[in-house]
Amino acid sequence: MTVPSGSAADPWPIRPLLAALVDDTSLLQPRTVAPGVDAVVSRYLAARDGHYGGLVGRLVCPASQLPAVVTELARSAPSRPADLGLVVDTGLGAVPKALSTVFSRSSLLTPSTVECAAPPDVDGIWLERVSEFVPDEVTPVVEPRRPVEGDAEAHEAWLAAIRKVAEHGCTPKIRMGGPRPSDVPTVDDVHSFLQAGLESGAGGISAQGLDRIVREEPNGSGGRGRHGLLNLIVAVARMTGVSASPDPVADALESTDGEGLARELDELPDKAVEQVRTVLPRCGVDPDPVPIADLVALGLLD
């Protein structure tokens, strides 16, 4: 089963498992290495309106860079609005103004999510405040801060915060990578995050910072390896019980067998695919917003 991308430029079919899955999070990279807003917007629109446009999800934008993004989109005159993930980096109080800007430029932008980091002492009152700022048609995404490895008490507090976020109707988020080795969570951390997020909420989870399609192990320099997009999808399928594989969830997160992961996803029935994508609607992938070559090599794209 496939769905058309909706692109204006002779789109190729994208299977539902991957449709609108990959967000462009280039603007979240450190300013010293991030491409300019004009380059990001141009690349995003070209990818979205290209042959594999059906793979492309949101353009993720910090609130501080929203004016520049709006200016560049207006200059580019897109064929349809860009799906926007708004990241709060200027305080919750700036959200109403930012959303007002987005809604007033409906020909350029369609708001999808409002994402923010949770305070260390996140509680129901703060989460209610988030919900008040975010309209019903927009999904609130909250990232509890992952603690330093080895602090058992802080780790339990992190899991409690994830459950609290999910219980209040927000989507919990985890960073799967970043410029520093410490930005990469352990496999155990990712497994614990999935358990806490899925057992507590009716919605899904959010992952950002993936920079591989399939997990890569450390190269001997003391790193943790890099998490893979397919690993996460298979882990969600196993944890929700829709995969026929009897293997543990942790094995999916640790696997470097791209062909095996792809085969397991190929065997998911349509109903299972729908459930997996309900849990995992979008993923932020750095630095390339459309990792086409690897997906083609594994037979997941034609």
Side-chain angles (χ1 to χ4, degrees):
M1 178 179 176
T2 57
V3 293
S5 71
S7 160
D10 190 21
W12 290 353
I14 302 292
R15 62 179 65 195
L17 181 69
L18 301 177
L21 174 66
V22 178
D23 290 341
D24 187 335
T25 57
S26 302
L27 293 174
L28 300 184
Q29 296 181 44
R31 294 287 184 98
T32 54
V33 298
V37 169
D38 56 344
V40 171
V41 170
S42 176
R43 186 180 66 178
Y44 171 81
L45 293 177
R48 187 199 67 173
D49 295 337
H51 289 305
Y52 290 107
L55 182 65
V56 180
R58 303 168 303 170
L59 176 62
V60 180
C61 172
S64 60
Q65 297 191 58
L66 180 61
V69 167
V70 170
T71 297
E72 188 58 31
L73 283 171
R75 188 194 66 79
S76 302
S79 59
R80 54 193 169 90
D83 198 11
L84 180 75
L86 182 69
V87 175
V88 179
D89 64 341
T90 53
L92 282 179
V95 172
K97 181 179 179 181
L99 284 175
S100 177
T101 298
V102 174
F103 283 118
S104 70
R105 306 305 297 268
S106 59
S107 64
L108 302 177
L109 294 164
T110 300
S112 174
T113 60
V114 170
E115 309 186 13
C116 56
D121 56 347
V122 60
D123 57 19
I125 295 175
W126 185 87
L127 289 166
E128 288 294 335
R129 187 164 177 244
V130 171
S131 298
E132 289 174 2
F133 280 129
V134 180
D136 290 342
E137 65 270 28
V138 179
T139 301
V141 178
V142 176
E143 180 191 358
R145 295 291 191 186
R146 185 170 53 84
V148 176
E149 189 176 351
D151 188 335
E153 184 176 346
H155 186 268
E156 288 303 315
W158 174 59
L159 296 180
I162 294 167
R163 296 185 188 100
K164 195 173 297 182
V165 167
E167 289 165 357
H168 277 78
C170 299
T171 297
K173 180 169 85 171
I174 185 172
R175 294 177 189 263
M176 303 284 281
R180 302 166 300 182
S182 60
D183 291 333
V184 182
T186 64
V187 166
D188 286 343
D189 279 346
V190 177
H191 192 184
S192 296
F193 170 82
L194 292 175
Q195 287 180 314
L198 297 183
E199 74 187 12
S200 304
I205 55 98
S206 176
Q208 178 214 310
L210 289 157
D211 59 2
R212 300 289 187 276
I213 294 302
V214 179
R215 176 174 174 80
E216 289 185 8
E217 293 293 356
N219 57 12
S221 60
R224 293 178 177 171
R226 307 297 291 189
H227 295 290
L229 176 64
L230 297 191
N231 300 80
L232 183 63
I233 300 173
V234 172
V236 168
R238 291 184 186 179
M239 184 163 284
T240 53
V242 299
S243 171
S245 173
D247 296 331
V249 173
D251 286 1
L253 294 170
E254 293 174 343
S255 175
T256 58
D257 179 8
E259 292 183 357
L261 294 170
R263 282 197 305 271
E264 187 169 336
L265 294 177
D266 263 335
E267 293 169 359
L268 293 178
D270 291 347
K271 289 280 189 181
V273 168
E274 183 178 347
Q275 187 168 344
V276 168
R277 289 304 308 277
T278 297
V279 171
L280 187 65
R282 307 283 174 86
C283 287
V285 176
D286 299 325
D288 187 349
V290 186
I292 292 170
D294 291 339
L295 292 171
V296 170
L298 291 169
L300 292 172
L301 288 178
D302 296 328

